[in-house]
Amino acid sequence: MLTERHLEIFIALAEEEHFGAAAQRVGITQPPLSQGLRRLEALLGVRLFERERGVFLTEEGALLLPHARRALAALAELRETGAREHADGRRLRLGLAPEVPAPLAADVAAAPVRAGDRTRISTVTAPTAALLSDVASGRLDLAVVRHPSVLHGLAAGPVILLPTWILAPARPADAGGTAPRRLPVAVRPRGEAPAAHDLFVDTLASRGRRVETVVVADERAGLALVAAGQAVLVTADAGLSASRVERRRATDPPLPLRLRVVWNPRRTGSGDPAGTARLLEDVLAREAAR
């Protein structure tokens, strides 16, 4: 197995061109240095040095030396990064569903630090199904997901309802009293949050309306369809709009964005996830009350 010591021996010998000086530089005696060099050459399948009249790099050794230097530097950087992470203390790994508007997501992520928690925040945005899997496996400490969802033993806070808006193409001025054309609703793929998706579609259909949907990758893609006059979009983002797009509150029927904070109560070493969850929920609740 190639080790860091092999790289140190190779580089030291290439630069010192003397077995004794190279051994002293890496802090070993000459016999283990020679043995380490032989093992490295066997691992690489090439002869690195000519040893007949002094110590000189072979052509293969000269080609491999820059790679060895980069590899050793990368290992040093890896150790330094690990040391910084340890010194900086606990990291909070937070997941956010993509339906959470960007300004609100930023406030949610910043809530623990603003409350005085000395922790480093890292965030990822991913579909609810992926977030639930990552929380269960320990890749995330907490996540804000859509409700309803199958939690599979995860703990969850209260359901928080965010108001939403319907974005629709603006009607042309010469439309008169003609009824607007029924357009499909832009939705994200059902597999991202099956239960929440079904509840949304069922709610639309509860007023006897025929519901057609068109799948989009994200709200930006949905907005593009709205601007093109090809769909309508329901969003919790109060700032999402475009020219020739009309906005109205989604009240008939109400179509709130249902969110919950989830965490894994069986995992240890992540501080007080329930307490941190309450901080996130407070931010979400203030937004819901506006």
Side-chain angles (χ1 to χ4, degrees):
M1 181 178 64
L2 183 63
T3 67
E4 185 176 4
R5 176 62 83 186
H6 289 137
L7 298 175
E8 291 174 341
I9 289 172
F10 179 23
I11 295 169
L13 194 54
E15 295 177 353
E16 299 293 341
E17 295 184 341
H18 188 277
F19 276 91
Q24 185 176 8
R25 175 169 158 177
V26 298
I28 58 177
T29 60
Q30 187 170 328
L33 182 133
S34 299
Q35 186 179 33
L37 176 60
R38 286 195 297 271
R39 288 177 179 171
L40 176 59
E41 289 179 326
L43 285 168
L44 299 177
V46 296
R47 187 173 178 82
L48 298 173
F49 292 94
E50 296 289 353
R51 303 170 176 80
E52 294 181 0
R53 293 184 298 274
V55 183
F56 304 100
L57 283 168
T58 63
E59 183 178 346
E60 293 85 354
L63 289 172
L64 290 173
L65 182 59
H67 296 282
R69 285 176 171 146
R70 286 195 294 270
L72 192 61
L75 288 171
E77 184 179 358
L78 179 64
R79 284 197 305 273
E80 291 173 4
T81 301
R84 284 197 303 271
E85 290 293 318
H86 179 74
D88 287 340
R90 187 173 72 90
R91 178 188 289 272
L92 176 66
R93 301 163 300 173
L94 174 64
L96 297 162
E99 293 82 4
V100 180
L104 178 58
D107 286 340
V108 168
V113 175
R114 291 173 178 173
D117 189 350
R118 295 185 59 186
T119 188
R120 299 184 65 205
I121 306 294
S122 64
T123 63
V124 298
T125 300
T128 288
L131 294 177
L132 292 170
S133 175
D134 286 348
V135 172
S137 67
R139 289 188 291 270
L140 291 173
D141 299 310
L142 299 102
V144 179
V145 302
R146 291 181 65 187
H147 172 82
S149 298
V150 180
L151 299 181
H152 294 300
L154 297 180
V159 179
I160 298 172
L161 309 183
L162 296 187
T164 59
W165 287 260
I166 297 176
L167 307 188
R171 297 185 64 192
D174 59 356
T178 60
R181 179 166 60 97
R182 183 80 67 183
L183 294 173
V185 180
V187 296
R188 297 177 68 89
R190 180 180 181 274
E192 294 187 356
H197 176 280
D198 292 347
L199 176 60
F200 174 80
V201 173
D202 289 347
T203 303
L204 283 174
S206 65
R207 302 298 177 89
R209 303 174 181 178
R210 183 182 173 206
V211 180
E212 293 184 2
T213 61
V214 56
V215 176
V216 293
D218 52 36
E219 288 192 342
R220 290 179 61 181
L223 180 61
L225 290 184
V226 176
Q230 298 175 11
V232 298
L233 175 69
V234 179
T235 178
D237 190 341
L240 187 67
S241 189
S243 59
R244 300 185 181 180
V245 170
E246 296 179 346
R247 295 173 55 90
R248 69 177 186 275
R249 288 292 286 264
T251 56
D252 183 25
L255 296 167
L257 175 61
R258 296 171 169 86
L259 299 174
R260 299 181 87 175
V261 181
V262 299
W263 64 95
N264 190 340
R266 297 182 299 277
R267 300 194 68 87
T268 60
S270 56
D272 176 20
T276 304
R278 286 191 291 272
L279 295 174
L280 310 187
E281 291 158 2
D282 288 344
V283 175
L284 295 171
R286 286 196 297 270
E287 181 68 18
R290 289 185 179 181

